[in-house]
Amino acid sequence: MPASESRLPRSAVAAAAPDLPAALLAPRGPFPVCDTAADWLPVWRAEQAAQADAHPFDAAVLAASRADRVAWAFFCGYQGALRAVFGAPAGRPAAFCANEAGRRITEIGTALRRDGDALRLDGRKSWALTPSDDTTLYVLARSADGPPSGPGSLAVVRVPLAADGLEREAGAPQRVVPELPHAALHLNAVPVAPADVLPGDGYADHAKPFGLVESVFIHGCVLAGLLAEARADAWPSDWCERALAAVALLGDCARRDARRPDTVVLATGALSLADDVLRESEALRVPARAAARERWLRDAPLLALGQGARRQRSRTAWAAFGPATPH
């Protein structure tokens, strides 16, 4: 995808839209049992190829309706958000590399520097999803030509996981979604082409809106996976209706500019609705799916991550509409 399309946190360029509610309610066959990322990746790639012309949210949700666990639904949502915000290519895994242990996102040490006529990337990232060797990394770094802080000081750089100078350090086992492979990254004079520095401000145009877009996509995908299970196991129709409505509302949010305060307010409400529907699902699994329920109870805390940031985003967004706003 051209770099000019990769700067849009408004959730990607316009794309063909399948009838998503109809597709989610249609019979889709049994879940493929996928215990590892190597099992899941072919399923996900096939679904992405089938939905290559769809909006990233629709493609992500339809793939997630094939997921037999939270790990793969999360993967679908995360990949869809990366495609929407950074222009990650469909069907090829990607990761956003922002975290550095002990540092706030605006205080990172990873830096893009000039080496003669070349660009080099140096630093360390404490967490990156690494499902396959063809993974593309979107690395938040200090800009080679920007000020030391504030607007313009950060950039997002596209780097292949197999780049020269990039070393992986195996990540510690995760308590939630342990099926997802991850690593810490060491970046030692990694060569960067100018075209791989994404347009726009690395924080305001990419890292900041990504948090909201990621939540919208992941909640939509987890609900889609549960809805497929609900349809297979004859859960109550009123739960299915609320789940479908929540996915549709999240899909509307996914098509809006995540930098706009009205989008933030709408998405916060949609995510609250989705959280309620997800909690209701915990009592609905049939006894034959005991293993699935245990995985759900293990992994559900993942969906609560970032709730504090979500509340702060909402408070800031409401302030844009004047003093007589909720608190």
Side-chain angles (χ1 to χ4, degrees), residues 9-311:
R10 60 181 168 81
S11 295
V13 292
D19 186 338
L20 191 59
L24 290 174
L25 291 175
R28 301 210 74 199
F31 292 108
V33 177
C34 299
D35 293 321
T36 68
D39 298 331
W40 171 250
L41 277 175
V43 178
W44 174 75
R45 291 186 200 270
E47 290 290 332
Q48 296 306 290
Q51 301 297 333
D53 294 328
H55 186 278
F57 182 85
D58 296 344
V61 162
L62 290 173
S65 70
R66 301 280 288 156
D68 70 335
R69 62 196 67 195
V70 171
W72 312 137
F74 171 90
F75 179 88
C76 291
Y78 182 65
Q79 296 303 318
L82 289 162
R83 185 179 165 202
V85 175
F86 301 123
R92 183 181 301 171
F96 180 40
C97 305
N99 294 342
E100 297 180 11
R103 296 178 185 267
R104 296 173 60 186
I105 197 168
T106 54
E107 299 171 347
I108 61 172
T110 300
L112 186 64
R113 61 179 172 85
R114 293 200 174 275
D115 182 13
D117 294 332
L119 291 171
R120 305 279 181 187
L121 190 63
D122 298 288
R124 186 180 188 278
K125 295 297 181 181
S126 55
W127 192 92
L129 188 69
T130 54
S132 64
D133 288 340
D134 67 340
T135 298
T136 300
L137 307 175
Y138 293 87
V139 181
L140 187 66
R142 310 218 71 80
S143 175
D145 302 313
S149 63
S153 62
L154 298 178
V156 172
V157 182
R158 183 170 44 232
V159 176
L161 183 59
D164 292 340
L166 193 153
E167 298 177 7
R168 286 178 258 178
E169 177 185 331
Q174 299 180 147
R175 186 179 65 83
V176 297
V177 290
E179 300 94 336
L180 291 174
H182 62 285
L185 303 178
H186 298 271
L187 304 149
N188 305 301
V190 175
V192 174
D196 287 328
V197 181
L198 271 59
D201 184 276
Y203 179 71
D205 291 327
H206 298 296
K208 184 179 180 181
F210 180 74
L212 181 64
V213 175
E214 180 186 31
S215 293
V216 165
F217 273 66
I218 288 172
H219 277 71
C221 285
V222 172
L223 277 170
L226 285 176
L227 182 59
E229 182 178 339
R231 295 282 291 154
D233 292 342
W235 291 13
S237 59
D238 59 348
W239 184 91
C240 296
E241 291 158 1
R242 288 195 297 277
L244 189 65
V247 172
L249 180 54
L250 290 166
D252 180 74
C253 296
R255 287 166 167 80
R256 297 174 181 267
D257 187 339
R259 296 166 294 190
R260 292 174 55 97
D262 53 332
T263 301
V264 174
V265 171
L266 178 63
T268 302
L271 289 166
S272 178
L273 171 62
D275 283 335
D276 289 344
V277 176
L278 289 167
R279 279 192 295 271
E280 293 170 9
S281 74
E282 294 178 1
L284 297 178
R285 281 197 166 88
V286 298
R289 291 195 186 271
R293 184 175 187 275
E294 289 303 312
R295 283 197 301 267
W296 168 260
L297 294 175
R298 179 196 69 192
D299 295 338
L302 180 70
L303 298 170
L305 295 178
Q307 282 187 344
R310 189 193 311 171
R311 287 191 292 270

Side-chain angles (χ1 to χ4, degrees), residues 301-321:
L302 180 70
L303 298 170
L305 295 178
Q307 282 187 344
R310 189 193 311 171
R311 287 191 292 270
Q312 182 57 51
R313 280 194 300 265
S314 176
R315 285 193 291 268
T316 301
W318 274 112
F321 301 106

